[in-house]
Amino acid sequence: MRFRPCIDIHNGKVKQIVGSSLRDQGDFAVENFTAGQDAAFYAGLYRDQGLAGGHVILLNREGSAYFEETRRQALQALRAYPRGLQVGGGIHTENAALYLEAGASHVIVTSYVFQNGRIEYDHLETLYRETGKEHLVLDLSCRKKDGRYLIVTDRWQKYTDVELNQKSLEFFSGYCSEFLIHAVDVEGKAEGIETELAELLGQFERIPVTYAGGVHCYEDLRILKKAGHGRVDVTIGSALDLFGGTMKLADVLREISAPSL
């Protein structure tokens, strides 16, 4: 289990939001925290502490009023920590190389592959050839519906008909080197993790998986470590002291590295 830092950028600022509140219309989101520092500041902090494999996420839709400023922030972060961060948010074949050349170790993709409730296999194949498996992370963020975890797209606003289970994880792992999975219903709410989802992810061993959503105390880390059999990495947003929360980064790293009982 490893800690994966994050830099979420919305309307040109580093923020923590309630994930399920994000809307394209008016670039709206319910905000938990807005940073006074820019994205490069956080990238430098993670670099200096040797925290690799974190996620820079652009939360504005390409073409929206704030997108260019959000992208500028993301590029600054990548240049501040070359090959130390992954980037996601509106990634497709036309811009993937730009982010990799700017310093991203991986690009994180959802909506380019999952659209209108189906898998765009041609897009998946094209992106796989463009970036290589070693530079591709698939974001299989999901929400529970009718007892199943379904992958959601378009800033988590649209359900697909693709269920997150061992079969789908096995299939998609053939195209990427990691998974990033937000438990969208608890994302940004700091009310506890989706234990059932963590247990599902903990059964998968082929490639690294990072869980995001709901972590708000050190006990959540212990629960995640147990449910995920120590194989599921974690990212923390609103609850972290860097983003106005009460969980101190040093204590988080200590808890994660502690042996399981």
Side-chain angles (χ1 to χ4, degrees):
M1 184 181 188
R2 294 180 295 166
F3 175 69
R4 303 293 196 99
C6 66
I7 304 174
D8 294 349
I9 308 170
H10 181 248
N11 293 358
K13 296 183 179 297
V14 176
K15 294 182 182 180
Q16 285 295 312
I17 68 168
V18 177
S20 58
S21 74
L22 190 61
R23 297 289 182 271
D24 288 338
Q25 185 175 4
D27 293 303
F28 173 81
V30 175
E31 299 174 6
N32 289 326
F33 175 84
T34 300
Q37 299 88 356
D38 62 12
F41 167 87
Y42 287 96
L45 187 154
Y46 301 149
R47 179 199 62 222
D48 293 346
Q49 297 213 23
L51 297 174
H55 314 109
V56 179
I57 306 297
L58 291 77
L59 293 174
N60 291 99
R61 179 178 54 82
E62 189 170 10
S64 65
Y66 291 96
F67 177 76
E68 289 303 324
E69 179 58 23
T70 290
R71 180 166 63 176
R72 188 181 70 83
Q73 286 282 323
L75 292 173
Q76 287 182 348
L78 298 178
R79 291 169 182 141
Y81 191 3
R83 304 290 173 250
L85 297 167
Q86 305 170 2
V87 64
I91 302 294
H92 48 73
T93 53
E94 299 300 318
N95 63 16
L98 178 150
Y99 290 112
L100 292 172
E101 290 167 2
S105 63
H106 300 70
V107 290
I108 306 167
V109 178
T110 308
S111 296
Y112 185 67
V113 172
F114 302 100
Q115 297 179 11
N116 300 317
R118 65 180 186 272
I119 305 170
E120 296 286 353
Y121 292 99
D122 56 336
H123 287 185
L124 181 59
E125 290 282 354
T126 303
L127 196 59
Y128 170 77
R129 292 194 299 270
E130 172 76 17
T131 67
K133 175 184 169 77
E134 69 274 15
H135 295 299
L136 183 58
V137 176
L138 287 179
D139 181 341
L140 305 184
S141 297
C142 58
R143 305 180 76 171
K144 200 167 189 181
K145 182 179 182 181
D146 300 327
R148 302 187 301 157
Y149 285 106
L150 298 179
I151 296 171
V152 291
T153 69
D154 301 280
R155 273 68 62 198
W156 305 330
Q157 297 169 40
K158 295 182 181 179
Y159 285 95
T160 71
D161 60 2
V162 183
E163 182 177 358
L164 189 71
N165 54 30
Q166 297 304 310
K167 183 177 179 180
S168 60
L169 289 170
E170 184 75 19
F171 172 78
F172 291 119
S173 69
Y175 291 89
C176 64
S177 59
E178 295 186 17
F179 292 128
L180 171 61
I181 299 176
H182 293 82
V184 175
D185 288 327
V186 297
E187 172 70 20
K189 296 182 180 179
E191 295 175 352
I193 69 167
E194 287 260 19
T195 306
E196 184 181 349
L197 177 59
E199 290 173 344
L200 185 159
L201 300 178
Q203 297 170 27
F204 187 74
E205 301 182 51
R206 175 166 287 194
I207 61 174
V209 178
T210 299
Y211 169 93
V215 174
H216 77 299
C217 64
Y218 302 108
E219 179 62 20
D220 284 336
L221 293 176
R222 293 187 280 271
I223 293 170
L224 180 60
K225 186 183 293 187
K226 181 178 180 180
H229 305 289
R231 290 192 286 265
V232 180
D233 295 344
V234 64
T235 186
I236 304 173
S238 300
L240 199 64
D241 61 344
L242 298 179
F243 304 118
T246 59
M247 297 179 72
K248 296 185 181 300
L249 177 59
D251 292 338
V252 167
L253 297 177
R254 190 177 302 114
E255 183 66 46
I256 286 175
S257 64
S260 301
L261 298 178

